Amino acid sequence: QTLSERQFPADKIYALASSKSAGKEVSYGDEQTLIVEPLEKFEFSTADIALFSAGGDTAKAHAPKFCAAGCIVIDNSSAFRMDDDVPLIVPEVNADAVMGYDEKNIIANPNCSTAQLVVALKPIHDKVGVERVVVATYQSTSGAGRAAMDELWNQTKGIYVNQEAEPHEFP
């Protein structure tokens, strides 16, 4: 949605996923639909930029293939966050650090709660400094995947009909 809204300059947008999702449709903007192609069969050299948001194992397995073909990978997983040769970027905070991406052709970003936190802390730090921050987060069910989301949905619906909750994904 964001790429479409901002009219990101791209000749072609690909939607990639595992083979089991190939052929499904996903929205691109309000009026366009993309057909999901299997990641395993994708010709990596046809892309200039790849936005990865498929989990650490998938990123570790496929990002190097894209990078070797000259593509820049922007990864949303935890796969490369601690890699010294991969810049960890929050554009509103340290956009200039992106210049180190060419060591591996990968740019990482921190998890969602960290990104939001540092955006809020940056102007405070710039103005008066920040010495210590103590944070507790309670990660979203969505982080555990589709089965967890389905369980939450079914349990939520069950509340309204006095149905006993049947946990499978969470204790």
Side-chain angles (χ1 to χ4, degrees), residues 73-85:
V73 170
I74 301 172
D75 182 45
N76 192 39
S77 78
S78 61
F80 303 102
R81 289 178 182 156
M82 301 301 287
D83 187 322
D84 290 337
D85 294 325

Side-chain angles (χ1 to χ4, degrees), residues 67-140:
C67 297
C71 183
I72 298 168
V73 170
I74 301 172
D75 182 45
N76 192 39
S77 78
S78 61
F80 303 102
R81 289 178 182 156
M82 301 301 287
D83 187 322
D84 290 337
D85 294 325
V86 174
L88 185 64
I89 303 296
V90 176
E92 299 84 354
V93 175
N94 66 337
D96 55 319
V98 77
M99 298 313 294
Y101 83 91
D102 56 353
E103 185 74 28
K104 289 191 174 177
N105 270 7
I106 300 174
I107 300 166
N109 63 271
N111 76 9
C112 54
S113 54
T114 301
Q116 294 174 35
L117 180 64
V118 297
V119 168
L121 290 175
K122 174 76 165 113
I124 297 168
H125 176 71
D126 289 348
K127 192 77 167 172
V128 296
V130 174
E131 291 183 27
R132 182 174 180 225
V133 176
V134 178
V135 178
T137 67
Y138 304 92
Q139 296 301 120
S140 170

